[in-house]
Amino acid sequence: MELTKQGLKDYLLFDTPIHYNENITLYPLKMMNILKFNQYQYAFTVRKDAIFMEKKFIKMTYLDFLKYASQDVEISIKYKMPLLPYYFDMACRLLLLMCGEDSHIEIDEDLTIHLNDCEITSNIFDDLRRIFIIQNDVDFDMDEFMNIEALNALEKARDFEAKKNKSNGDTEDYIDSLAIALSVPSDYIENLTIRKFWRYVKRIQKHETYEACLTGQMGGMVTFKEPLQHWMTSMEVTDKYANVKANEDELRSKIG
């Protein structure tokens, strides 16, 4: 299985579960799990090499770093990340959530993870992280590296956008709005996958913007330099931060 968005495209189309191996099947998370999703996803999306720039941390795998951080609270204090010691536990809970109701997880004293009787190695953990990110359309790229200055600038820009658009509402407002727009009951929304829910929200927003612009253009009130993009076209966003990113392999090659 090619663990890229393109390779998983057929699974994404109708949110089909992904059979990773004979023990592990991964299901896209649903809106009924949105609160847990919002909390646990941080355990899978730490910018380890950008934030923790000490050589010993950069040389660790992501899973080994979570294990180490769970047993050394001084790291969280030093880097002002109070939830860091809990990320290993949160990652385990997220793995369990991804595998559905009949799954089980065991954690040995040395923090070795067995998920549905399958030992989760660092490589398997990275595979499951990648599937989670793609399957649930999480805004994170495991393969990119940002230096700390670029990361801080990006976070500052995101905070600014969040404040600027805070009138857009919270998740409950979006749930209510989508239910009204689609004329469906709340339990329909509850059973949507998180990925599909946000795609519907974005598509409705794109449709409304298109209709407003088209009306203005047809009425002669406004003109546009570029042709209007139809609301049914792709919603994929090009990476406007590409110039501040580097390949993680370049960093690792320098530290040996």
Side-chain angles (χ1 to χ4, degrees), residues 173-203:
D173 293 318
Y174 281 115
I175 291 172
D176 295 343
S177 300
L178 186 60
I180 292 171
L182 298 180
S183 299
V184 295
S186 59
D187 58 347
Y188 175 86
I189 303 296
E190 188 178 23
N191 284 287
L192 280 177
T193 63
I194 293 172
R195 173 182 173 273
K196 189 63 72 175
F197 171 82
W198 288 114
R199 281 185 62 86
Y200 283 171
V201 169
K202 292 174 184 176
R203 184 67 69 183

Side-chain angles (χ1 to χ4, degrees), residues 3-251:
L3 298 181
T4 63
K5 192 163 187 177
Q6 187 61 37
L8 297 174
K9 188 175 181 179
D10 291 343
Y11 292 91
L12 296 176
L13 183 60
F14 293 110
D15 292 317
T16 305
I18 296 172
H19 299 285
Y20 179 75
N21 59 26
E22 61 181 6
N23 299 85
I24 298 175
T25 297
L26 302 172
Y27 298 86
L29 301 188
K30 295 186 176 183
M31 286 300 294
M32 64 180 66
N33 299 127
I34 187 65
L35 297 180
K36 292 180 179 178
F37 168 85
N38 287 340
Q39 180 182 14
Y40 296 162
Q41 66 169 316
Y42 293 110
F44 274 17
T45 56
V46 178
R47 292 279 179 195
K48 179 175 76 71
D49 294 340
I51 299 173
F52 308 93
M53 299 184 68
E54 297 172 49
K55 186 174 180 178
K56 66 177 181 179
F57 295 143
I58 294 176
K59 292 173 73 80
M60 290 180 184
T61 66
Y62 192 92
L63 178 58
D64 286 340
F65 173 73
L66 291 186
K67 291 178 180 179
Y68 188 95
S70 72
Q71 298 179 312
D72 188 349
V73 71
E74 293 301 320
I75 303 173
S76 66
I77 296 174
K78 178 179 179 179
Y79 289 92
K80 299 178 181 179
M81 297 181 65
L83 293 180
L84 184 62
Y86 304 99
Y87 278 1
F88 175 76
D89 178 67
M90 290 164 64
C92 293
R93 290 173 184 268
L94 185 52
L95 290 175
L96 201 57
L97 199 62
M98 292 164 62
C99 290
E101 295 179 356
D102 296 329
S103 58
H104 60 276
I105 195 168
E106 297 176 1
I107 304 172
D108 298 339
E109 290 185 3
D110 63 355
L111 300 184
T112 298
I113 304 170
H114 289 87
L115 179 62
N116 294 341
D117 302 318
C118 173
E119 181 178 339
I120 304 301
T121 64
S122 289
N123 287 337
I124 291 177
F125 186 82
D126 284 343
D127 282 348
L128 301 185
R129 278 180 71 210
R130 189 180 304 278
I131 291 174
F132 167 79
I133 288 165
I134 295 173
Q135 194 177 41
N136 297 284
D137 202 21
V138 177
D139 183 19
F140 185 83
D141 185 348
M142 285 175 53
D143 299 318
E144 73 185 9
F145 170 76
M146 292 186 188
N147 61 44
I148 192 63
E149 291 82 8
L151 178 62
N152 289 338
L154 178 56
E155 291 301 320
K156 186 176 180 179
R158 285 180 172 171
D159 288 344
F160 176 78
E161 286 298 315
K163 291 178 180 177
K164 186 175 69 173
N165 297 315
K166 64 180 180 180
S167 60
N168 285 349
D170 58 19
T171 301
E172 185 176 12
D173 293 318
Y174 281 115
I175 291 172
D176 295 343
S177 300
L178 186 60
I180 292 171
L182 298 180
S183 299
V184 295
S186 59
D187 58 347
Y188 175 86
I189 303 296
E190 188 178 23
N191 284 287
L192 280 177
T193 63
I194 293 172
R195 173 182 173 273
K196 189 63 72 175
F197 171 82
W198 288 114
R199 281 185 62 86
Y200 283 171
V201 169
K202 292 174 184 176
R203 184 67 69 183
I204 289 173
Q205 290 174 333
K206 188 169 185 176
H207 175 263
E208 291 180 347
T209 299
Y210 173 80
E211 289 293 323
C213 291
L214 183 63
T215 299
Q217 181 176 263
M218 295 290 288
M221 294 179 287
V222 293
T223 57
F224 300 97
K225 293 182 179 179
E226 301 292 335
L228 287 179
Q229 186 184 61
H230 197 273
W231 65 274
M232 289 186 182
T233 54
S234 173
M235 293 188 296
E236 295 294 329
V237 178
T238 56
D239 188 359
K240 59 184 177 182
Y241 299 106
N243 62 324
V244 297
K245 297 175 183 174
N247 192 296
E248 184 177 6
D249 292 337
E250 295 178 6
L251 175 70

